[in-house]
Amino acid sequence: MFGFIRPVKDELRVREVHRFQEVYCGLCHAIRARYGRFHTLFLSYDMVFFALVLGCTGEDGETARCRCDASPFRRRPVCRGNAAVDYAADVSVLLNYHKLRDTVRDEAGLRRAGAGMLLGLAKNGYRRAVQRLPDVDRAFAACIDDLAALEAAQCASIDRAADSTARLLAAAVPATGDDRERILRQLFYHTGRWVYLIDACEDLADDLARGRYNPVALRFGLSEATGLAPAREQLERTLERSLVDVCTAFDLLGAQRDAGLIENIIWLGLPAVTRQVLDGTYQTNGGRIRHGSL
């Protein structure tokens, strides 16, 4: 995923900060145990959010204290034995592989060569993840191929372009055949739509400079000279609409744990990123560079 989904730390309780870090570290450990260290390099806050939401109505795991590559001398609290975290680890590996595959297809020169090298290194872990989640993998591949077709056709519809990523994230939800699955699919559909559009807004200048596909630029006739300014109000409305639907779905979910932490992300973190991207003040990971920093 893209790294846009994160909490507002200053508004979190101390125990919520610790809980977020525990799940982050738990997801990192789960990925390393199931797929190796290489795949932990692609861990993002987005997948922590995914694990938190999936696990907010199920059984929790245990907290253990472990060392790792990022903290080799001091043991840190880690969420272990959590089914949602383990599932998120599998989904993370699939997502990263397909994102690399898409980069190889879309980029050229050094970027394409670098992504191709990473793709080769990711294959073994990807094959193991496919064995665990074959249906999810097929859905991911179909959604990315649909998006590639829209890019080739230079589709100017932001809704059609965003739908591919929205369906992809919805497809990551475990199939249980109950109301919980339906609510989760709606929640992650609208989360995926928001992520795609906010990423398109953030990448606008770079895409225009490189001549790459950007549905926001095509839909509103934007250029390097205009930037996002002519379309800001309309973009803000459509992004807020997706966030309202995310909030509504989460309310229906009936969270039994981590509700305050998840609400901070949905009600404060995502709107804050929306404003920052549209204002041009967004910084990846809040300007922090330390692994797992919050």
Side-chain angles (χ1 to χ4, degrees):
M1 292 164 75
F2 299 83
F4 292 110
I5 302 176
R6 63 195 190 201
V8 176
K9 182 178 179 180
D10 291 345
E11 298 296 333
L12 290 174
R13 296 180 176 90
V14 172
R15 67 174 179 270
E16 291 170 340
V17 174
H18 292 164
R19 173 62 173 170
F20 187 91
Q21 191 67 56
E22 285 177 11
V23 175
Y24 182 98
C25 292
L27 184 53
C28 187
H29 278 265
I31 292 172
R32 188 178 70 176
R34 295 159 86 88
Y35 301 105
R37 283 179 168 81
F38 172 77
H39 290 276
T40 65
L41 298 175
F42 303 97
L43 177 60
S44 72
Y45 288 169
D46 298 5
M47 293 311 299
V48 179
F49 173 73
F50 183 76
L52 284 167
V53 173
L54 283 189
C56 73
T57 59
E59 294 185 4
D60 199 6
E62 61 180 7
T63 299
R65 299 191 70 86
C66 305
R67 294 186 180 94
C68 65
D69 295 342
S71 182
F73 304 111
R74 183 168 64 92
R75 294 181 184 272
R76 303 179 67 171
V78 174
C79 180
R80 306 275 302 265
N82 184 307
V85 170
D86 290 342
Y87 183 87
D90 300 336
V91 170
S92 178
V93 171
L94 291 177
L95 279 172
N96 292 329
Y97 182 85
H98 285 290
K99 190 171 187 299
L100 287 169
R101 184 171 70 91
D102 190 52
T103 301
V104 170
R105 179 166 49 190
D106 291 346
E107 296 289 352
L110 290 177
R111 291 193 178 193
R112 181 176 184 178
M117 181 182 67
L118 294 174
L119 189 66
L121 294 172
K123 278 187 177 178
N124 286 337
Y126 165 70
R127 292 190 184 104
R128 292 198 294 273
V130 170
Q131 291 177 350
R132 290 187 168 108
L133 301 176
D135 293 338
V136 174
D137 177 67
R138 283 191 290 270
F140 285 1
C143 290
I144 289 176
D145 289 343
D146 289 346
L147 181 57
L150 293 174
E151 291 175 355
Q154 291 291 293
C155 176
S157 170
I158 59 174
D159 289 326
R160 289 183 63 193
D163 177 69
S164 297
T165 299
R167 287 188 290 109
L168 182 150
L169 198 52
V173 173
T176 55
D178 55 12
D179 287 343
R180 180 177 177 274
E181 179 192 345
R182 178 179 57 81
I183 294 169
L184 284 170
R185 287 187 184 274
Q186 283 296 305
L187 189 155
F188 285 114
Y189 177 91
H190 293 291
T191 301
R193 182 180 187 276
W194 178 87
V195 166
Y196 180 85
L197 292 178
I198 206 70
D199 183 60
C201 292
E202 172 63 12
D203 287 345
L204 179 69
D206 191 43
D207 288 343
L208 289 171
R210 294 175 175 272
R212 294 187 302 205
Y213 173 75
N214 188 300
V216 171
L218 293 173
R219 166 64 179 81
F220 297 104
L222 304 178
S223 66
E224 293 184 70
T226 65
L228 281 172
R232 175 172 173 167
E233 289 186 10
Q234 290 170 279
L235 287 167
E236 191 170 19
R237 283 197 297 271
T238 193
L239 288 164
E240 286 178 350
R241 180 67 258 175
S242 287
L243 295 185
V244 168
D245 290 334
V246 172
C247 292
T248 301
F250 182 70
D251 286 343
L252 292 172
L253 195 57
Q256 297 167 10
R257 70 174 58 81
D258 299 322
L261 175 53
I262 297 169
E263 287 168 357
N264 175 287
I265 296 171
I266 293 173
W267 295 343
L268 300 178
L270 302 189
V273 170
T274 299
R275 291 191 298 271
Q276 291 164 6
V277 169
L278 296 182
D279 288 344
T281 59
Y282 174 78
Q283 290 181 294
T284 302
N285 198 23
R288 301 173 180 87
I289 59 173
R290 182 166 57 85
H291 179 71
S293 61
L294 178 61

